[in-house]
Amino acid sequence: MNALEFNTRSKELQKLAPEIPLQWGKIQNNTTDKKVSLFKCKTLSSLELAITGLPTDDKNYFKRRWFLWQCARCDEYLFYTNTGVSRNPNGKDQEYDIEFFGDKNLRFDVKGTLVPKELRSNFSFEFPEKIVNFYYSKQSAGKRSCLQNRLFIVHHSFKEHKRALELRCAWEYKTEVYKSFIHQLKTSKNFISYLNVKAMVIFIIEKKDGSFSYRFA
């Protein structure tokens, strides 16, 4: 992704966010995936053309998958445009997305997510390991299970849960948060361990009054 593509995609994602259901509605599955060549849809207009004629549930399914995919690409872009951060030169390699300071021990898969429904009622920023453990144990499978260091970008709105999707597109704010995170990582490296891998967490938070804040863990 380059600056021109980021500028275009980021605006498309902000437009699409309010239309995306918070929950999947259906489990990700190969049968539905085969209906559309999702990764050939580089723009929102090409996606909308590809899903024309599909049932509403399928349209929402593909919009959500495309939205999450493109948000991940934008998050990665905002990291590797900073000095000291490089992207994996092999885009098909699933081992890591970005590397900090040329250190192979600081290679991470970037995982944008939200507070799991199961943890929202008793959610506390003081126990980020609960979120880390949940995602590694409940939502990872196969090669992606327990083999990657992960940097979790957790989006949470105390104003309205649905707005967690719109927080994913708070690009201007996230730009500054990621710069702050990289600066802190130079001197402070606090990891959460899960079996044979390590994780870090960036919380992107919307307070009840609509203002933003962030935390690192």
Side-chain angles (χ1 to χ4, degrees), residues 13-217:
L13 292 167
Q14 288 173 331
K15 173 186 176 183
L16 187 58
E19 303 175 18
I20 303 296
L22 184 61
Q23 305 300 331
W24 277 98
K26 63 168 65 180
I27 297 174
Q28 188 172 341
N29 64 91
N30 291 333
T31 300
T32 304
D33 287 345
K34 290 178 180 178
K35 295 181 180 181
V36 172
S37 297
L38 182 72
F39 297 109
K40 292 183 179 179
C41 299
K42 303 300 183 182
T43 65
L44 179 56
S45 59
S46 65
L47 172 70
E48 291 174 335
L49 180 62
I51 63 178
T52 299
L54 292 180
T56 299
D57 284 351
D58 285 349
K59 286 182 178 179
N60 287 336
Y61 175 87
F62 283 110
K63 283 182 178 180
R64 183 176 172 83
R65 283 208 67 197
W66 189 87
F67 176 83
L68 296 177
W69 168 44
Q70 294 293 344
C71 280
R73 295 183 68 226
C74 287
D75 277 327
E76 291 167 25
Y77 172 82
L78 291 181
F79 274 108
Y80 63 67
T81 53
N82 286 279
T83 301
V85 185
S86 58
R87 57 180 163 176
N88 190 333
N90 182 358
K92 295 182 179 180
D93 180 12
Q94 295 186 347
E95 291 300 322
Y96 75 99
D97 295 322
I98 58 175
E99 177 182 288
F100 294 99
F101 316 129
D103 185 345
K104 292 182 180 180
N105 293 314
L106 293 178
R107 288 179 171 177
F108 290 87
D109 175 60
V110 179
K111 174 70 173 179
T113 187
L114 45 79
V115 175
K117 185 177 181 180
E118 292 88 338
L119 302 180
R120 286 178 202 156
S121 60
N122 296 309
F123 174 61
S124 171
F125 295 113
E126 302 305 317
F127 303 102
E129 64 274 8
K130 288 186 178 181
I131 290 176
V132 169
N133 291 344
F134 178 90
Y135 281 112
Y136 273 122
S137 64
K138 302 293 186 181
Q139 296 190 349
S140 297
K143 184 178 179 65
R144 298 182 70 84
S145 176
C146 305
L147 292 179
Q148 296 167 300
N149 297 332
R150 284 188 177 170
L151 172 56
F152 291 91
I153 316 296
V154 181
H155 308 82
H156 186 69
S157 173
F158 287 102
K159 187 175 181 180
E160 182 184 0
H161 290 314
K162 173 73 169 61
R163 283 187 50 78
L165 297 176
E166 294 177 56
L167 286 180
R168 286 179 182 258
C169 304
W171 306 118
E172 185 174 350
Y173 184 70
K174 291 171 92 173
T175 297
E176 298 307 313
V177 173
Y178 295 169
K179 286 181 180 178
S180 179
F181 175 82
I182 294 164
H183 179 74
Q184 178 173 303
L185 189 60
K186 291 179 180 178
T187 56
S188 177
K189 298 175 179 62
N190 297 317
F191 303 118
I192 297 170
S193 297
Y194 182 87
L195 297 181
N196 61 327
V197 295
K198 54 180 177 274
M200 294 183 292
V201 182
I202 298 176
F203 289 105
I204 305 292
I205 308 154
E206 182 181 45
K207 300 177 183 178
K208 288 185 178 181
D209 63 4
S211 62
F212 291 170
S213 67
Y214 66 89
R215 293 193 183 197
F216 303 144

